[in-house]
Amino acid sequence: MKRFVTLFGVLSMLFSLQFIGVGFEAFGQVANDAANTLTPFDGLTQFWEKTGFHNLHITNVIMIGIGLFFIFLAIRYDYEPLLLVPIGTGILIGNVPFVEGNLIGIYEKGSVLNYLYAGVEKGVYPPLIFLGIGAMTDFSSLISNPKLMILGAAAQVGIFATFLGAVFLGFGPEEAGAIGIIGGADGPTAIFLSSKLAPHLMGAIAIAAYSYMALVPVIQPPIMRLIIPKHERLIKMKPPRAVSKTEKILFPIIALLLTTFISPSALPLLGMLFFGNLLKESGVTERLADTARNAMINIVTILLGVTVGASTQADYFLTTDSLKIFGLGAVSFMVATAGGLFFARFMNLFLKGEKKINPLIGAAGVSAVPDSARVVQHEGLKNDPTNHLLMHAMAPNVSGVIGSAVAAGILLAFLSN
């Protein structure tokens, strides 16, 4: 028995040594092959060819410059920093040159950025943004003076004017509808509609919408001074009446049913907007309302901003269509602002005495909440330091949010297959 065990041990050791020898021989062959095909210089060359410096193109430099400009505007001039810093950083991330195939780019299926971008592509982020907006919005000024809702509707003329302009420039009906929504100055709505009608233009549309939202303090004041005479800028409006808690609770319920029955396609946006407002006004769901208007909207804003910025990969973004979209966006924003201002002056033809409105508040009809209302307040104080228009301007401002979502739903119903 002992001899058998000894013999078995010797045979096992021989087999093991043979196996190790074969392994060393194979390894040596691989090493020799590698030495024959890959020199240290070749390795460095391969490394260099995969760096961003080697793959850098002038288009990447242009887009990186745009990203840095967005960050500069946000930090230096405080233009929508919560949007422009994430978007600007996203532009930097999206335009670092890389070799495709390593699951890095936002358009490479299976990459981390592509998974995050799915929230934009599938239209998930915009309704969550609307939920947060609803939870932080006070509709009291609109409830107390409902006729000002007309100004929010009048400002949406920019959407339909841009739609016609896009068709004239050669875009298809669905593409024109997605581009037109830039006139509403509502980033989440622009992303939602473009994800349905023109996903291939989403990056340009989203960047244009958010850029013009951030530039509200630059674009709107000259138009306001051009259209509204000095004496009309001095009109003082009587304070809005007090709104009861019952009215505040009933408003989101009634508005939800009314607007979504008119435009069911806008249900994901308007449903979440008024749901968020009901959380705020009900008085019994403060925890949920606080989460919606703080933690949740902050997280979604970060993800939305970075992924939208990263979607501006130079080879996808820098096209003739993108330049056309930016041009149309600028025109649409100016038309929307002018539409609200002119209609406010028109309304005053039928109002007497203290019922007259200050036409400056018409500029707040675009749905850049609350920036356009703040611009109105600033312009009012500039002309008369005692004329506070913020609360009055919030009425067309929040109605502009509703109006742009309704307009998006109408366009979606008409243009989607």
Side-chain angles (χ1 to χ4, degrees):
M1 185 65 180
K2 289 183 179 180
R3 291 179 181 177
F4 177 76
V5 172
T6 303
L7 179 62
F8 180 77
V10 171
L11 291 174
S12 297
M13 186 172 63
L14 291 174
F15 276 118
S16 299
L17 291 172
Q18 184 178 9
F19 179 77
I20 292 170
V22 171
F24 273 115
E25 183 178 353
F27 178 78
Q29 184 64 41
V30 171
N32 289 333
D33 291 342
N36 292 330
T37 59
L38 185 65
T39 66
F41 180 77
D42 292 331
L44 290 173
T45 301
Q46 283 190 12
F47 170 75
W48 169 250
E49 288 174 352
K50 293 182 180 180
T51 64
F53 297 104
H54 178 265
N55 295 286
L56 186 66
H57 191 270
I58 185 62
T59 54
N60 299 117
V61 176
I62 293 171
M63 291 308 305
I64 289 172
I66 293 173
L68 293 173
F69 180 64
F70 277 24
I71 295 171
F72 171 76
L73 289 177
I75 296 174
R76 179 66 179 83
Y77 296 105
D78 200 32
Y79 289 165
E80 288 287 350
L82 298 181
L83 293 175
L84 290 192
V85 170
I87 291 175
T89 306
I91 293 173
L92 301 184
I93 292 171
N95 285 281
V96 172
F98 63 92
V99 177
E100 292 190 8
N102 293 322
L103 300 183
I104 295 172
I106 195 167
Y107 295 108
E108 290 187 286
K109 297 298 181 184
S111 72
V112 174
L113 284 175
N114 184 255
Y115 282 124
L116 295 177
Y117 190 56
V120 177
E121 287 185 306
K122 305 298 183 183
V124 175
Y125 295 151
L128 295 177
I129 293 286
F130 265 66
L131 175 63
I133 291 172
M136 65 174 66
T137 300
D138 186 354
F139 287 101
S140 297
S141 57
L142 181 59
I143 298 170
S144 67
N145 198 353
K147 68 175 178 288
L148 297 182
M149 183 181 293
I150 302 173
L151 296 177
Q156 307 314 311
V157 67
I159 293 175
F160 298 100
T162 309
F163 172 79
L164 297 175
V167 171
F168 177 76
L169 289 179
F171 289 98
E174 293 185 357
E175 295 173 329
I179 295 167
I181 207 66
I182 298 173
D186 189 337
T189 303
I191 291 172
F192 175 79
L193 190 62
S194 58
S195 71
K196 306 295 183 184
L197 296 180
H200 57 291
L201 298 178
M202 188 188 304
I205 291 171
I207 293 295
Y210 279 116
S211 298
Y212 295 123
M213 283 174 63
L215 294 174
V216 164
V218 176
I219 297 173
Q220 285 197 318
I223 302 173
M224 296 161 75
R225 295 171 203 144
L226 178 66
I227 294 175
I228 308 301
K230 174 75 172 181
H231 69 279
E232 291 187 28
R233 289 181 237 156
L234 298 175
I235 294 175
K236 288 190 176 182
M237 299 173 65
K238 64 179 182 180
R241 69 173 179 84
V243 177
S244 68
K245 182 177 180 179
T246 302
E247 289 177 292
K248 290 183 178 182
I249 293 174
L250 289 176
F251 177 80
I253 297 172
I254 296 171
L256 167 62
L257 295 175
L258 182 61
T259 57
T260 53
F261 267 70
I262 294 172
S263 181
S265 298
L267 183 59
L269 298 178
L270 293 172
M272 297 300 272
L273 175 72
F274 293 121
F275 171 51
N277 189 246
L278 185 60
L279 291 177
K280 172 182 179 291
E281 302 296 355
S282 66
V284 294
T285 52
E286 181 55 31
R287 256 177 54 192
L288 300 182
D290 182 67
T291 299
R293 65 174 168 255
N294 289 302
M296 190 205 67
I297 198 171
N298 288 337
I299 292 170
V300 177
T301 299
I302 291 171
L303 295 176
L304 180 66
V306 171
T307 51
V308 164
S311 71
T312 63
Q313 224 171 271
D315 49 345
Y316 287 84
F317 185 78
L318 283 182
T319 63
T320 304
D321 284 348
S322 295
L323 295 177
K324 290 179 182 178
I325 288 169
F326 268 81
L328 286 168
V331 173
S332 70
F333 195 81
M334 291 186 283
V335 170
T337 301
L341 293 169
F342 277 122
F343 201 85
R345 295 191 69 187
F346 177 74
M347 285 178 64
N348 272 344
L349 298 176
F350 306 94
L351 300 173
K352 304 296 181 183
E354 64 176 12
K355 291 185 178 180
K356 283 186 176 290
I357 62 174
N358 189 311
L360 287 175
I361 68 173
V366 298
S367 56
V369 179
D371 294 305
S372 54
R374 288 175 181 163
V375 170
V376 170
Q377 167 79 350
H378 179 73
E379 285 298 308
L381 292 175
K382 185 181 290 186
N383 290 274
D384 179 356
T386 65
N387 195 6
H388 297 275
L389 297 173
L390 182 61
M391 287 304 298
H392 302 290
M394 283 303 297
N397 206 187
V398 296
S399 68
V401 176
I402 300 170
S404 63
V406 170
I410 292 172
L411 288 170
L412 188 59
F414 271 96
L415 300 174
S416 60
N417 296 321

